[in-house]
Amino acid sequence: AAGVIQSPRHLIKEKRETATLKCYPIPRHDTVYWYQQGPGQDPQFLISFYEKMQSDKGSIPDRFSAQQFSDYHSELNMSSLELGDSALYFCASSTRTGLYEQYFGPGTRLTVT
Amino acid sequence: QKEVEQNSGPLSVPEGAIASLNCTYSDRGSQSFFWYRQYSGKSPELIMFIYSNGDKEDGRFTAQLNKASQYVSLLIRDSQPSDSATYLCAVTGNAGNMLTFGGGTRLMVKP
C-alpha cells in the first residue's frame, strides 16, 4: 500500500538559513499534519491542513509557515533556522472518516549547524 | 503535569510473555486513543486505535479503554524480540484532531 512520502529525508542547514520540507499524503487522504520530534522527546504537533485550509495550529514558531496545495501535498517552510530546530519532522495524513487515524511518513531529519 | 502520561520504562519481558503497557490522560474530553510503535530513528507506526470503553483485539495486540478511570492500555501477547521498541500512546480531544502523545514506554523483549 502507498504510504506518506517526505522529502528530503536528510537536510543539513546553517543557522539563519531557510529550509523547505515536502510531504505527499497517502492517495485519497485530504488532511495533512506536521509534527516535530526532538531527541529523546515525543512528537509535538505543529500544524494541520484540511482541503488546503489550515485546520489546527499547535506549537509552531512564527518563523515557520506551511501550506497545502491543490494536489493535497504540503510544504513546511522554516526560516531563520536555529540550532534548536534540529529534529525529526514528520508528516502524517488521514481521511475525515472514522477516527481520523493518522499515518506517518518516514520523516525528515533536519540538522542545523 | 503532561496531558498524556506513560511510564518511560524500560519494560523488560521475556520472549513469549505478555507485555502490558499503560497510559493515563487528563482531559475527560479526549475522544480517540491510539497506540504507535516507534523504532529508534524511525517514524511512529500505528498499531491500534480505540474509542469506546472495553477491549479491542487485533492479532497479538489488545487495546483496553476505561474512560471513567481515564486509562488506556496495550497488551502484547507472545512478545517477540522484534517487538522491542518505544510504544507511544496518543489521544485526540475536543480541540481538534491533532495527536497529543505521551512520553512513550520503551519495551525490551529478551530472547
Side-chain angles (χ1 to χ4, degrees):
Chain A
V4 177
I5 297 172
Q6 290 188 247
S7 67
R9 295 292 307 277
H10 301 272
L11 191 58
I12 300 175
K13 291 285 185 178
E14 295 186 355
K15 284 194 304 183
R16 292 180 289 278
E17 285 192 319
T18 61
T20 297
L21 280 53
K22 297 185 178 182
C23 168
Y24 297 85
I26 293 170
R28 291 181 295 282
H29 280 197
D30 51 19
T31 306
V32 169
Y33 312 78
W34 287 96
Y35 293 86
Q36 177 192 58
Q37 187 174 28
Q41 299 179 1
D42 49 272
Q44 296 294 313
F45 171 72
L46 294 178
I47 196 166
S48 63
F49 291 87
Y50 167 63
E51 288 289 348
K52 303 179 286 296
M53 298 288 289
Q54 180 181 307
S55 179
D56 295 302
K57 191 172 183 180
S59 51
I60 184 170
D62 292 340
R63 300 177 288 109
F64 295 5
S65 65
Q67 58 183 324
Q68 185 181 32
F69 296 85
S70 57
D71 64 351
Y72 296 107
H73 95 271
S74 178
E75 295 183 4
L76 177 65
N77 299 293
M78 311 160 72
S79 63
S80 302
L81 287 169
E82 303 174 355
L83 295 177
D85 296 328
S86 296
L88 272 168
Y89 290 83
F90 293 110
C91 171
S93 72
S94 75
T95 64
R96 285 266 165 163
T97 58
L99 298 187
Y100 303 176
E101 305 94 80
Q102 296 179 32
Y103 296 89
F104 282 70
T108 294
R109 181 175 295 280
L110 172 67
T111 302
V112 182
T113 62
Chain B
Q1 181 188 8
K2 278 177 67 75
E3 293 181 40
V4 182
E5 300 222 29
Q6 298 179 251
N7 188 318
S8 61
L11 172 66
S12 182
V13 300
E15 183 175 357
I18 296 175
S20 178
L21 304 159
N22 304 315
C23 172
T24 58
Y25 59 95
S26 60
D27 183 0
R28 285 197 173 274
S30 298
Q31 298 182 341
S32 304
F33 306 85
F34 304 84
W35 283 99
Y36 286 85
R37 177 175 62 196
Q38 186 174 31
Y39 295 107
S40 180
K42 304 296 184 182
S43 62
E45 175 192 1
L46 180 63
I47 53 174
M48 288 289 288
F49 53 90
I50 189 169
Y51 65 95
S52 58
N53 280 326
D55 296 359
K56 179 182 178 183
E57 185 175 319
D58 184 1
R60 295 188 296 115
F61 300 99
T62 299
Q64 300 174 316
L65 175 61
N66 184 325
K67 288 188 176 181
S69 300
Q70 295 177 242
Y71 177 93
V72 58
S73 65
L74 178 70
L75 300 178
I76 306 175
R77 288 179 298 281
D78 188 24
S79 295
Q80 301 297 310
S82 58
D83 294 327
S84 298
T86 295
Y87 288 80
L88 296 163
C89 172
V91 307
T92 60
N94 291 325
N97 297 316
M98 74 286 281
L99 295 170
T100 299
F101 287 89
T105 297
R106 190 158 71 95
L107 173 67
M108 298 172 57
V109 181
K110 298 192 172 182

